[in-house]
Amino acid sequence: MNIKALRAFRITMIEGSIAKASEKMHLSQSAISRLISSLEGELKLDLFLRSGRRLIPTQQALAFDREARRILDNLDEIKRIADEIRTAQTQRLRVLAMPRVAPTLVSPTVKRFLEEHSDVHLSVDVRTHRDAEQWLLGREYDLGIGPLPINHPDISSEVLLKVRAAAILPLNHPLCDKTEINASDLKDEAMIALLPHLLLRTQMEDFFHSAGQEKAFACEVASSQLACFLVADGAGITIADSLTAKIVDNQVVTRPIVPERWMSFGILYPKSVELSSAAKEFIALLKADLAHLESEHIKIEK
């Protein structure tokens, strides 16, 4: 891929016009236009609609821009990373945290790791479960932490804990009086679900299908945290786990669902890469931090 064309696209997106992009890159407007056209041809995407002198980004451009930004940011890091490797000044650890565990499991461990390992440059990114395979296999990260399973022959996984699935209810909802919730209890309730093909959405659908229900969802969202915030605001009910619901502690009520369902969480890493000493230490701290979470609804794997 032509990196100059990628930069021309990115700067045009930022500046909003070819004229301003040409000033930034010290190239003629026609050169910028050719670079963008060549990129469109290479990618087989329509990135802009032409309206006179104006370029209007398409939906494809908006989606591609997120990835272009990441690629260029990583390229800009290459010299600094090479300098660090050459002088052996700093170890690097790149952690992929999935949204459901980022605030509750990963954040406390990051704090401890930073306190004990000031010589390690730590970066933590948040990516969805469905993206994890791609990023780990591409060696963008040293290890991932999130819900399991991920079934891929080139990725190793280790279960750290299991959390019982629960209905997340608004305060003062009539179902708060029950100690457990079944699918029939939720038959006429407005349910907030994750987007199709996300792991928690699949688990929620399976819960209703197993009870013989074809449940229509009132709202679909991209993250379980947002679903919990919507519950706290009284928009409906969702199914998640007590770890996820901690982000809205004291604003919602959790009730385990029946029949019992358990959600597994753990670590993942590429089989082809040996874990660094920094990664092993991060995992050890993470496991040590889990002890205080154990309860009747959270089982720590020994």
Side-chain angles (χ1 to χ4, degrees):
M1 178 176 290
N2 187 327
I3 299 303
K4 184 179 285 188
L6 195 61
R7 290 193 186 279
F9 163 75
R10 180 80 184 107
I11 293 173
T12 300
M13 289 290 289
I14 293 170
E15 298 296 331
S17 74
I18 283 180
K20 290 182 180 179
S22 70
E23 292 176 11
K24 286 277 187 180
M25 295 188 70
H26 305 292
L27 295 171
S28 67
Q29 293 185 36
S30 59
I32 296 291
S33 183
R34 285 196 298 272
L35 285 169
I36 291 174
S37 294
S38 71
L39 185 66
E40 289 179 311
E42 183 176 358
L43 299 175
K44 295 181 174 55
L45 295 176
D46 295 319
L47 298 174
F48 294 99
L49 300 175
R50 275 75 172 174
S51 177
R53 292 178 175 270
R54 295 178 60 227
L55 289 184
I56 303 171
T58 64
Q59 288 300 313
Q60 291 182 336
L62 296 174
F64 179 67
D65 184 48
R66 291 191 291 271
E67 301 307 317
R69 180 171 65 243
R70 178 188 61 81
I71 292 167
L72 291 173
D73 286 347
N74 286 343
L75 284 172
D76 291 339
E77 286 279 283
I78 287 176
K79 185 179 184 304
R80 182 181 64 77
I81 292 169
D83 289 342
E84 289 178 355
I85 292 171
R86 185 171 56 254
T87 59
Q89 289 179 339
T90 308
Q91 292 188 71
R92 294 176 61 83
L93 176 61
R94 303 160 301 172
V95 176
L96 183 157
M98 295 179 220
R100 287 167 65 186
V101 299
T104 50
L105 293 185
V106 179
S107 181
T109 302
V110 167
K111 176 180 180 294
R112 284 191 60 193
F113 187 88
L114 292 174
E115 290 171 348
E116 298 180 19
H117 298 277
S118 58
D119 59 325
V120 178
H121 181 274
L122 175 64
S123 63
V124 182
D125 199 357
V126 178
R127 297 276 179 177
T128 64
H129 182 271
R130 65 182 174 186
D131 293 334
E133 289 181 14
Q134 171 189 349
W135 298 115
L136 287 169
L137 291 174
R139 300 188 185 180
E140 299 281 341
Y141 304 96
D142 300 300
L143 70 148
I145 304 164
L148 302 177
I150 285 186
N151 298 313
H152 195 286
D154 297 322
I155 293 180
S156 293
S157 63
E158 178 185 351
V159 177
L160 296 177
L161 72 162
K162 294 181 179 179
V163 184
R164 189 172 172 185
I168 316 299
L169 310 167
L171 295 177
N172 303 317
H173 191 282
L175 289 176
C176 294
D177 293 334
K178 296 177 67 72
T179 57
E180 295 178 322
I181 304 294
N182 60 42
S184 297
D185 295 325
L186 301 173
K187 182 178 180 181
D188 298 319
E189 299 292 338
M191 296 296 299
I192 300 165
L194 266 63
L195 295 174
H197 310 305
L198 292 177
L199 178 61
L200 192 55
R201 167 65 174 264
T202 302
Q203 292 169 330
M204 187 184 298
E205 288 177 338
D206 183 61
F207 170 67
F208 286 110
H209 289 164
S210 297
Q213 289 190 32
E214 291 296 327
K215 182 66 178 175
F217 300 115
C219 178
E220 297 175 332
V221 297
S223 78
S224 51
Q225 288 98 330
L226 178 55
C228 288
F229 277 116
L230 287 169
V231 173
D233 288 334
I237 295 171
T238 195
I239 292 176
D241 57 86
S242 54
L243 283 179
T244 303
K246 279 183 178 293
I247 199 167
V248 284
D249 243 356
N250 303 318
Q251 300 177 61
V252 298
V253 172
T254 63
R255 292 290 182 263
I257 60 173
V258 287
E260 283 188 21
R261 288 172 178 261
W262 292 83
M263 299 175 175
S264 298
F265 298 85
I267 54 174
L268 309 106
Y269 49 89
K271 287 182 178 178
S272 59
V273 180
E274 183 179 355
L275 288 173
S276 66
S277 58
K280 291 176 181 176
E281 180 58 24
F282 190 93
I283 292 170
L285 289 174
L286 177 62
K287 290 180 177 180
D289 285 340
L290 295 179
H292 74 281
L293 292 173
E294 192 158 22
S295 69
E296 65 174 313
H297 297 311
I298 300 179
K299 297 177 180 178
I300 307 301
E301 295 295 296
K302 307 300 183 184

